[in-house]
Amino acid sequence: MIQIHPLNDRFVTEIQLHVSNPKVAAMTYLPEPYPEDGAQVFVGLFVPLLEQGVEFPYMILENDHFVGMTGITRIDFSTMTGEVGYWLGEPFWGKGMASRALALTTEMGFMIVGLEKILGIVLSRHLASMRVLEKVGYECTGTIIESVPKFKGETSVVYEMEKKRWQQVRSSNIRRMGFPPNGFSLEED
């Protein structure tokens, strides 16, 4: 069963292993090559932001094994809009895990964080990630030109999900993807 769990240091080794894979890092904002202490630094930076309720980094677990990361970042609290992001380790690609994790993250963003809109921004060449967003029910709203140095000048596609729409597509997502509606964990280890 796929679950999302608040980021902690339990799976630092697994995070490091998967993000050090150039195929994983290639489509993310993570640095390439990934620094040897990158996962430990990442956890050290983002756990306090999670505790402060500013960013919501979550680990994707399958049967209590780490498979990737997801989360809500770049939250604008004046409009209650955030951006979703996710990645999976290469051994877990093509198994429907990203869609399940995205649905859980979307649920968490609306029901726990209290967002009104969630954006998904993906490189136009990352077709698999676009399919994940579409499968969960996100709607394409346009494109942007990336300004982040790693992808400067590339085109990204913007998807969005509004809370009202999520309430309409939520039940079909839960039935179709085979997970309980409470597949995220809020307790600390």
Side-chain angles (χ1 to χ4, degrees):
M1 173 172 58
I2 295 294
Q3 291 187 307
I4 61 173
H5 187 82
L7 178 64
N8 60 43
D9 63 1
R10 180 175 170 201
F11 294 106
V12 169
T13 302
E14 290 85 348
I15 293 170
Q16 185 71 41
L17 172 73
H18 292 300
V19 180
S20 294
N21 178 342
K23 291 180 182 177
V24 173
M27 297 293 183
T28 70
Y29 293 122
L30 299 169
E32 290 181 84
Y34 200 65
E36 289 183 23
D37 64 346
Q40 191 64 52
V41 170
F42 171 77
V43 169
L45 288 172
F46 280 90
V47 167
L49 295 174
L50 174 64
E51 291 168 349
Q52 296 166 25
V54 177
E55 303 256 335
F56 294 86
Y58 274 61
M59 301 174 294
I60 305 170
L61 306 178
E62 181 189 41
N63 300 322
D64 205 37
H65 296 285
F66 178 88
V67 299
M69 290 292 305
T70 186
I72 306 283
T73 62
R74 300 182 184 145
I75 297 173
D76 180 342
F77 288 98
S78 68
T79 62
M80 293 309 289
T81 300
E83 184 179 328
V84 68
Y86 49 88
W87 61 263
L88 292 175
E90 186 179 9
F92 311 107
W93 293 356
K95 298 179 181 180
M97 293 180 188
S99 299
R100 291 182 188 104
L102 175 59
L104 290 169
T105 306
T106 303
E107 175 82 357
M108 182 264 300
F110 290 130
M111 303 318 226
I112 305 300
V113 181
L115 297 176
E116 292 297 321
K117 184 190 302 184
I118 300 174
L119 303 175
I121 301 174
V122 60
L123 293 169
S124 62
R125 60 186 163 96
H126 197 352
L127 302 178
S129 194
M130 287 191 282
R131 282 192 300 273
V132 167
L133 287 156
E134 292 165 359
K135 183 176 179 180
V136 174
Y138 280 72
E139 296 179 316
C140 179
T141 59
T143 60
I144 61 168
I145 302 300
E146 286 286 346
S147 60
V148 175
K150 182 175 178 178
F151 302 118
K152 190 172 181 89
E154 286 196 56
T155 301
S156 282
V157 181
V158 180
Y159 287 83
E160 74 175 42
M161 176 72 74
E162 292 186 351
K163 186 174 186 176
K164 184 176 180 179
R165 176 164 168 71
W166 177 247
Q167 291 166 340
Q168 294 168 353
V169 300
R170 179 183 183 273
S171 295
S172 66
N173 270 309
I174 290 169
R175 280 192 307 275
R176 184 169 39 89
M177 293 184 202
F179 58 80
N182 62 344
F184 49 85
S185 172
L186 299 176
E187 65 274 352
E188 297 297 320
D189 282 337

